[in-house]
Amino acid sequence: MSKVRLPVNKTHWTQHSDCAVVNAYYNRIENSIYFPAGILQGVYFNEGRPNYMNYGGIGCVITHEITHAFDIQGSQYNEHGILVNWWSNETKKAYNEKVKCVIEQFNNFKAEEINMQVNGENTLPENIADIGGIKNAYSAYEKILKEVGEEPNLPGLNYNNRQMFWLAAGTAGCAKLRNEALKLEILTDEHAPRKFRVWGLVTNMPEFARDFNCSKTSKMNPDKKCNLW
Ligand SMILES: [Zn+2]
């Protein structure tokens, strides 16, 4: 009660104390990103392993959360978390046009096993965060790759460093669901099912097709790619 009518302290530790959660968040009314200790381990991050794994893992999570500040909801809040329009009409118009590509792309993803399409509108903010995020994570990885040079392969995996980045991103992003859970997710979740999230990550990136030498007719290298920034 002592806090009633006092200004909210957006950075107080009690607002950010879920340390064991394996997840990450962007909070638009704080304009903050939040990475609990729980996600800074496992497939996402380890300080002793090659950069391609960390950039493909936690790197994609961090850039995903940053990009939420520019999704269709986050973009309506300014740098202080206030709901105010800070976009020029021209930029907003161009953005809305580009976003249509993402809606259409995800509307066309179909979970064959349950005969259901993904809902591109309901999952749009997450898909924007994924597509914008991987682009930044990959360019950050290319920067560190130039700085430190090629790192050793993992035992038994005959892939180059760039290919390993994609494998790490896919590994951190994937999940296998029973049909019932898949149906529930398509009907109610703000995220597209994991398989389609990973497809969204790779099919929109010409760098993925280049790194794996995908042919022009490959399913993971469609002509139409969504590029927001
Ligand atoms: Zn998200």
Side-chain angles (χ1 to χ4, degrees):
M1 288 302 289
S2 67
K3 290 181 183 166
V4 171
R5 296 198 180 84
L6 292 178
V8 175
N9 179 352
K10 292 180 176 178
T11 59
H12 195 263
W13 71 270
T14 55
Q15 304 274 345
H16 306 274
S17 57
D18 299 333
C19 58
V21 176
V22 184
N23 207 340
Y25 310 96
Y26 171 72
N27 183 333
R28 32 181 201 270
I29 59 170
E30 291 181 353
N31 189 26
S32 66
I33 47 177
Y34 173 28
F35 304 95
I39 199 168
L40 298 171
Q41 57 180 342
V43 294
Y44 295 100
F45 175 74
N46 186 292
E47 66 177 325
R49 66 188 192 181
N51 284 307
Y52 49 75
M53 296 185 76
N54 288 335
Y55 278 72
I58 198 70
C60 287
V61 177
I62 293 170
T63 51
H64 172 101
E65 301 309 336
I66 293 171
T67 310
H68 267 310
F70 307 96
D71 72 25
I72 49 163
Q73 293 164 343
S75 61
Q76 298 179 49
Y77 293 76
N78 73 5
E79 73 271 34
H80 304 297
I82 311 291
L83 184 66
V84 60
N85 181 23
W86 55 278
W87 292 54
S88 74
N89 290 341
E90 197 185 342
T91 309
K92 194 82 197 171
K93 201 167 154 235
Y95 175 81
N96 287 339
E97 274 306 310
K98 289 183 173 222
V99 155
K100 281 185 195 160
C101 174
V102 184
I103 298 173
E104 197 181 310
Q105 183 178 61
F106 277 78
N107 274 338
N108 283 319
F109 287 149
K110 185 177 179 187
E112 300 287 350
E113 57 273 56
I114 54 169
N115 198 27
M116 279 180 83
Q117 308 279 141
V118 173
N119 185 318
E121 295 270 0
N122 291 354
T123 57
L124 180 60
E126 292 301 330
N127 300 332
I128 291 173
D130 277 345
I131 294 170
I134 189 115
K135 193 168 178 176
N136 285 321
Y138 189 84
S139 63
Y141 177 61
E142 287 211 298
K143 192 162 176 252
I144 196 85
L145 185 60
K146 278 200 191 96
E147 275 170 37
V148 304
E150 294 275 325
E151 292 173 285
N153 282 350
L154 294 187
L157 290 175
N158 192 20
Y159 297 101
N160 66 38
N161 280 196
R162 284 188 170 83
Q163 290 172 331
M164 283 304 299
F165 167 90
W166 296 108
L167 291 177
T171 305
C174 74
K176 173 107 179 102
L177 301 180
R178 293 184 186 191
N179 285 350
E180 292 83 355
L182 185 58
K183 187 175 174 188
L184 182 70
E185 194 164 271
I186 287 183
L187 289 173
T188 64
D189 204 289
E190 63 205 23
H191 304 84
R194 295 286 195 145
K195 170 174 157 183
F196 302 114
R197 289 183 69 186
V198 174
W199 284 13
L201 294 182
V202 301
T203 54
N204 291 309
M205 291 283 288
E207 293 86 346
F208 171 82
R210 181 199 68 195
D211 292 346
F212 278 99
N213 289 321
C214 297
S215 70
K216 289 252 181 252
T217 53
S218 158
K219 191 173 180 180
M220 291 297 136
N221 184 23
D223 273 344
K224 192 171 181 189
K225 293 183 164 45
C226 302
N227 180 27
L228 295 167
W229 290 282

